[in-house]
């Protein structure tokens, strides 16, 4: 087990301002006010310099997932294992590392073609987090063990077995559980944890997705903060992709919102933290304890 967390996301946006309005106005994230020559904007959730990087792009979608490693040694060993596995790996320049607020990184992709940036040594930002919406904090750290990462994300992987082997054998994640949702013939979702107690930091879905990501999740500290976000989303006219509900596997009580450009954002509270020493991987056929009635624009609205 070497990978520490899902550290940051790079999101391509055809309308960066609209994404920033959603990120700050609805999700309550803080504009990091980092200068960027390419016009990217940055959203903070904690003492990391940013957790979401919103970059001008012709088409909307996920550009890359930043995976954090605990040391230069662990990072280097993983880079070597990636190369040995046959996946292409390109070292990032010092200038590109500075843009990401990391000591060093390398770009690769998983067997499904999802772009990953493997990094170590994040440069922290000690100026206090001030949410423009008064959100007291986001669940990204755990007192006993440190970083939980930004949250989680679900990546498309039509050949899920090849991708699964890459994340477990090369990247160093562990399988938490598997879901075969009832009523969705042939669909398989597998949830993976990094070396932190969050129930899953990354999941794989065995199908394609036009945006390169099925959903991303950010977590707050109280149920009231989910409620406040729902009120802000309603006032902003955001589309609700799912009603309030609670997932079975990670216990997340959450709502799903449609970000500008189409990425689904799960906003939740009460995610499960697990002791991996005693964890047993399980299989389920239901994703939700209650709620989460899905409503995709154009399909059933
Ligand atoms: Fe989720």
């Amino acid at each position: 087990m070497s990978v520490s967390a899902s550290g940051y996301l790079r999101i391509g946006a055809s309308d960066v301002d609209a994404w920033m309005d959603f990120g700050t106005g609805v999700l309550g994230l803080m504009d990091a006010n980092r200068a960027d020559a390419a016009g990217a904007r940055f959203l903070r959730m904690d003492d990391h310099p940013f957790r979401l990087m919103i970059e001008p792009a012709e088409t909307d979608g996920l550009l890359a997932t930043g995976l954090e490693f605990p040391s230069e040694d662990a990072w280097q060993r993983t880079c070597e294992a990636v190369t040995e596995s046959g996946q292409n790996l390109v070292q990032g320049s010092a200038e590109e590392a500075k843009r990401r607020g990391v000591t060093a990184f390398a770009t690769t992709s998983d067997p499904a073609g999802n772009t990953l940036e493997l990094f170590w040594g994040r440069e922290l930002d000690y100026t206090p987090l001030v949410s423009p919406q008064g959100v007291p904090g986001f669940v990204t750290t755990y007192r006993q063990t440190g970083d939980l990462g930004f949250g989680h994300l679900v990546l498309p992987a039509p050949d899920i077995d090849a991708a699964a082997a890459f994340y477990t054998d090369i990247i160093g994640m562990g399988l938490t559980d598997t879901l075969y949702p009832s009523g969705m013939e042939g669909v398989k979702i597998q949830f993976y944890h990094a070396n932190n107690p969050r129930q899953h930091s990354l999941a794989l879905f065995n199908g394609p997705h036009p945006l390169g990501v099925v959903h991303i999740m950010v977590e707050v500290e109280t149920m009231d903060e989910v409620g406040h976000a729902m009120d802000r989303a309603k006032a902003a006219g955001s589309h609700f992709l799912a009603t309030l509900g609670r997932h079975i596997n990670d216990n997340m009580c959450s709502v799903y919102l449609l970000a500008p450009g189409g990425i689904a954002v799960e906003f939740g509270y009460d995610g499960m933290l697990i002791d991996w020493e005693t964890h047993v991987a399980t299989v389920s056929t239901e994703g939700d304890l209650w709620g989460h009635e899905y409503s995709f624009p154009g399909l059933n609205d």
Side-chain angles (χ1 to χ4, degrees), residues 152-154 191 200 203 215-217 247 249-250 252 254 256 266:
H152 70 232
L153 80 163
V154 183
F191 301 85
H200 63 279
H215 76 254
I216 68 173
M217 191 285 304
H247 285 304
N249 66 343
D250 67 352
M252 192 71 70
S254 58
Y256 285 69
E266 179 181 9

Side-chain angles (χ1 to χ4, degrees), residues 138-219:
F138 296 88
V139 178
T140 58
T141 56
Y142 185 59
R143 282 198 187 98
Q144 278 71 37
T145 58
D147 199 359
L148 293 171
F150 83 90
H152 70 232
L153 80 163
V154 183
L155 291 172
D159 183 353
I160 194 169
D161 292 342
F166 178 79
Y167 283 102
T168 54
D169 300 348
I170 310 297
I171 297 297
M173 289 192 171
L175 177 67
T176 309
D177 66 312
T178 303
L179 169 64
Y180 297 96
S182 62
M184 298 173 78
E185 189 64 32
V187 172
K188 178 181 183 182
I189 304 170
Q190 287 193 300
F191 301 85
Y192 296 90
H193 64 87
N195 191 21
N196 74 64
R198 195 187 284 286
Q199 199 265 359
H200 63 279
S201 292
L202 184 144
L204 298 171
F205 157 70
N206 69 338
H209 196 289
L211 296 170
V213 63
V214 180
H215 76 254
I216 68 173
M217 191 285 304
V218 297
E219 185 176 1

Side-chain angles (χ1 to χ4, degrees), residues 30 74 89 104 144 191 217 229 243 267 275:
M30 179 181 178
L89 183 112
Q144 278 71 37
F191 301 85
M217 191 285 304
T243 58
F267 195 92
D275 175 0

Side-chain angles (χ1 to χ4, degrees), residues 20-31 43-45 129-136 138 218 225 229 232 267:
M20 287 300 288
D21 286 347
F22 174 79
T24 57
V26 176
L27 304 181
L29 305 175
M30 179 181 178
D31 184 343
L43 290 163
R44 266 181 71 190
M45 296 173 68
L129 182 85
V130 180
S131 161
Q133 304 304 326
V135 179
F138 296 88
V218 297
E225 287 304 327
R232 294 193 298 268
F267 195 92

Side-chain angles (χ1 to χ4, degrees), residues 8-12 36 40-43 50-55 99-100:
Y8 64 79
L9 298 177
R10 290 177 52 206
I11 292 171
D36 186 70
R41 305 279 300 276
F42 302 84
L43 290 163
F50 65 86
R51 290 294 196 173
L52 303 182
M53 179 169 173
I54 314 297
E55 305 179 50
R99 187 184 188 214
R100 289 154 177 76

